[in-house]
Each structure stands twice: as structure tokens, then as C-alpha cells.
Amino acid sequence: MSTAPDGLITTHPDGCPRCWWPGLDPIYVTYHDTEWGVPEDDSRALYEKLILDGFQAGLSWITILRRREGFRRAFAGFEPERVARFTEADVERLMGDAGIIRNRAKIRGAIAGAQAWLAIEEAGPGFSRFLWDFCDGRPIQTNPKTRADIATETEVSKKMGKALKQKGFTFVGPTIVHAFMQAVGMVNDHLVGCHRHAVCAALGERPRP
């Protein structure tokens, strides 16, 4: 990998210029190249990512990525209809599961979030539309050139986090919500020059369902 100051584009051995943050970790590089910044419209997938971002609080994202399959197994594939029915017995089961981050408040938050997700879906027009409406249905294109150009929270993430909290979600502060928005393509924060920047920008031009 070509050397570059932290927060800038780096060129990997495969010749691809990438954002600095995945380094050479193959799990992180694959996530950067295939998921991060891709607009996500599926309500279930959005619930999963929001909950995992909540579990990340105080930790690194790669820590969560390495346990993602464990989380999916433990949380019934992040099917909100199933998670919403979890009981205190399930909370205790999950507290004993070494395949996830064992934090009682975050576990209970995932259950509360599933119940809130169901309420939003039933009220219409659904969880995906509820979230995407905060950015008028299109990804926000920030065109950052360095790490210094990338915000950690915005007015939009503050508004979304406040609305999610009012609906019953927890661990939805503006920084967590902004990280979520970056991950699910509501914000395209790939650095200009990264091979994924233009790809995600083009994907953002698709009309939302």
C-alpha cells in the first residue's frame, strides 16, 4: 500500500485508491468496497445496521464487523418481528453469548428498537421512507477531499436521532446516527479520488422506492 498521511487516499497493492480507514484488513476492505456508502432501501436491513451502530458505541466498527454473523445468529437474523418478542429470558441468554457484545442496555435497546420499527411500519409508509425523508429521498453528496472534510454529526443526523428516540429507539445520538447514514448511503462520504466515490454517487441518482 502506498504511504499517505492519515485521513487521505491510499493506493492498495491491487492498484485501487481507497479511503484511509479500512487499511489492509481484508474484512474492512471488503466492507468499504461493497457496502459502505451504498444506498440501502430495505427496512429490515436498515434496522440491522442501526442496531449494530448502536452496539458500536465506544468501540471500533471492525470489532462489530468481526462479530456480525454472531449478532445475526443471536438476534434471529435481525428480523424485527422476532426480536420484538424477545423476553427477559432472551436478554439473559444474550448476556451469556460470547459471539456478540454483551451489554445489557444495548441488548434491551435492540428489542425496543424492533418494537419501534414495527410501530413505524404499521403506521406507514414504513421505516425506510421514514429515514430517507430526512434527506429528501436522495443521498447527501459531501465530496470530501480529506478526513478533515468529513463531519462526525450534522443537523440532519441530530433531527433523525431525535425522531428515532421519540419513536422508542436508544443509542441514536447524532454521531451514531451520522455513522449510520454514511454506512447506508444516505451520505456519500467516500473521499474524492477513492474508487468508490463516483460509484456511490451514481447509485445515489436512482429514484428511491
Side-chain angles (χ1 to χ4, degrees):
M1 183 170 69
S2 67
T3 58
D6 180 55
L8 298 178
I9 291 291
T10 57
T11 301
H12 285 227
D14 62 3
C16 280
R18 291 181 171 89
C19 303
W20 79 97
W21 52 264
L24 290 175
D25 187 300
I27 296 174
Y28 229 175
V29 171
T30 297
Y31 173 73
H32 170 275
D33 286 3
T34 62
E35 294 186 55
W36 198 77
V38 174
E40 178 59 72
D41 302 307
D42 181 77
S43 287
R44 188 219 60 81
L46 288 168
Y47 163 77
E48 174 181 338
K49 186 62 177 65
L50 184 60
I51 296 304
L52 288 176
D53 269 312
F55 270 97
Q56 181 197 355
L59 303 168
S60 66
W61 179 240
I62 190 62
T63 298
I64 302 299
L65 273 184
R66 288 173 178 154
R67 290 170 170 80
R68 183 158 60 169
E69 291 309 313
F71 272 105
R72 286 172 172 167
R73 173 187 48 75
F75 282 93
F78 284 104
E79 293 290 343
E81 297 90 343
R82 298 175 65 186
V83 178
R85 297 195 299 270
F86 278 14
T87 65
E88 279 301 307
D90 290 298
V91 173
E92 294 306 318
R93 169 181 61 82
L94 292 167
M95 285 297 295
D97 191 332
I100 67 169
I101 303 301
R102 292 174 285 185
N103 180 296
R104 195 176 298 274
K106 292 177 181 180
I107 291 168
R108 286 182 172 147
I111 299 169
Q115 294 164 351
W117 183 95
L118 287 175
I120 294 170
E121 284 287 304
E122 290 168 2
F127 191 60
S128 180
R129 180 69 64 83
F130 170 77
L131 294 176
W132 276 99
D133 279 352
F134 283 93
C135 49
D136 297 323
R138 286 189 176 275
I140 299 165
Q141 306 293 334
T142 62
N143 299 311
K145 294 181 174 60
T146 72
R147 182 178 190 171
D149 298 326
I150 299 176
T152 56
E153 62 179 58
T154 65
E155 288 304 313
V156 177
S157 74
K158 290 176 184 177
K159 290 176 182 177
M160 185 184 292
K162 183 178 180 180
L164 285 164
K165 187 174 182 179
Q166 289 173 341
K167 294 292 185 180
F169 283 86
T170 60
F171 295 96
V172 286
T175 300
I176 290 174
V177 169
H178 185 65
F180 164 76
M181 293 179 70
Q182 293 170 310
V184 300
M186 292 176 185
V187 175
N188 179 10
D189 266 344
H190 281 287
L191 295 181
V192 174
C194 171
H195 79 110
R196 293 294 295 172
H197 175 83
V199 174
C200 289
L203 290 172
E205 293 301 312
R206 299 179 308 176
R208 305 265 69 76

